[in-house]
Amino acid sequence: MSATLIDGEVIAVRMRAEIAAQVQQFTEQHHYAPGLGVVLVGDDPASQMYVRMKRKNCKEVGIESYAHYLPADATQAQVEEAVLSLNQDTKVHGILVQLPLPKHLNEEAVLNLISLEKDADGIHPLNMGLLAMRGREPLFTPATPTGCLVLLKEMNVPIAGANAVVVGRSNIVGMPVALMLTRENATVTICHSKTRDLPSYLREADIVIAAIGLPEFIKGDWLKPGAVVIDVGTNKIDDATAEKGYRYVGDVELESAQAVVKAITKVPGGVGPLTRTMLLANTMKAAYRLTAKA
Ligand code: NDP
């Protein structure tokens, strides 16, 4: 059996076309475009690339992006000031603080400042709390986990009643995706670095979400035949045969997994394009909400 390779870009392109139509309608109605405020601190090449791609996607769909680029030695007060000014700016409907922030900054304090109604990344503690509670609805759900759910639904993967194993419990991926799968009635197990015998959990999993950050860590023979794997991991590895001398791989060893599972996402080009598209969708949602209130 050779698994279907899930191409997130194809789905993302279609969704961005839908968002572009919404943006056009909004812009015609309000005579200004929805806006995303972006805060990037420092010169980490990966973060710079992510911000560049997110702003490019904004431009493609007609969302205006307003960037605050701060130096690596920016003070806590400067970063907080950038967030506060975006909170105040009526042209800005969604705010993204690109993570991770440099070590000397208090990330929690910065994220707590983002206006709940502009939390386009869906990682405000209150939004996360609402996500965890039954019968409550968060204003926004985080971009990457939402992208994972979109991929599963696009693939018509039955979620209710399925055994789902999430490997990783970070605030931005593992934990919220586990909460979202629980809301969809999957039976969810969260594994992490202290989990004993990870393969024994994975062998029972109909759905695997891998969000670890270790290149090709999960092997094919750990997985259940016929499982669906969403590989969030994006790990840069040296490869002398690649044009640039490096390439990106996921947390799952693709070759051995493909022989076992039913479907697995591409890396790159699987979850990443959906993450960026969900940020646009959340910005649009914020724009509708804020203008309806005004
Ligand atoms: P974090 O480093 O914040 O979290 C990693 C998680 O993996 C932790 O919960 C950790 O456990 C767990 N872990 C580490 N080692 C093991 C192990 N040996 N066995 C089981 N679990 C382990 O990473 P992120 O969640 O931010 O990102 C994960 C990956 O996803 C990265 O490769 C990142 O680049 C990628 N990513 C991709 C995105 C996309 O759009 N495609 C978006 C965001 C991230 P513990 O809690 O015990 O430390």
Side-chain angles (χ1 to χ4, degrees), residues 216-229:
E216 302 179 316
F217 180 71
I218 294 175
K219 312 299 176 198
D221 62 358
W222 300 5
L223 298 164
K224 180 177 173 180
V228 175
V229 178

Side-chain angles (χ1 to χ4, degrees), residues 114-133:
I114 297 174
S115 157
L116 192 60
E117 295 185 309
K118 295 190 177 186
D119 179 30
D121 231 7
I123 53 174
H124 190 288
L126 202 50
N127 270 325
M128 291 286 278
L130 291 167
L131 184 64
M133 293 172 80

Side-chain angles (χ1 to χ4, degrees), residues 35-37 66-68 82-95 118 290:
L36 176 71
Y66 303 90
H68 287 242
V83 173
L84 290 173
S85 75
L86 292 170
N87 279 347
Q88 295 298 323
D89 190 339
T90 52
K91 298 188 302 304
V92 170
H93 304 99
I95 297 175
K118 295 190 177 186
L290 287 164

Side-chain angles (χ1 to χ4, degrees), residues 216 252-260:
E216 302 179 316
V252 180
E253 192 181 69
L254 184 63
E255 202 179 328
S256 59
Q258 263 192 302
V260 177

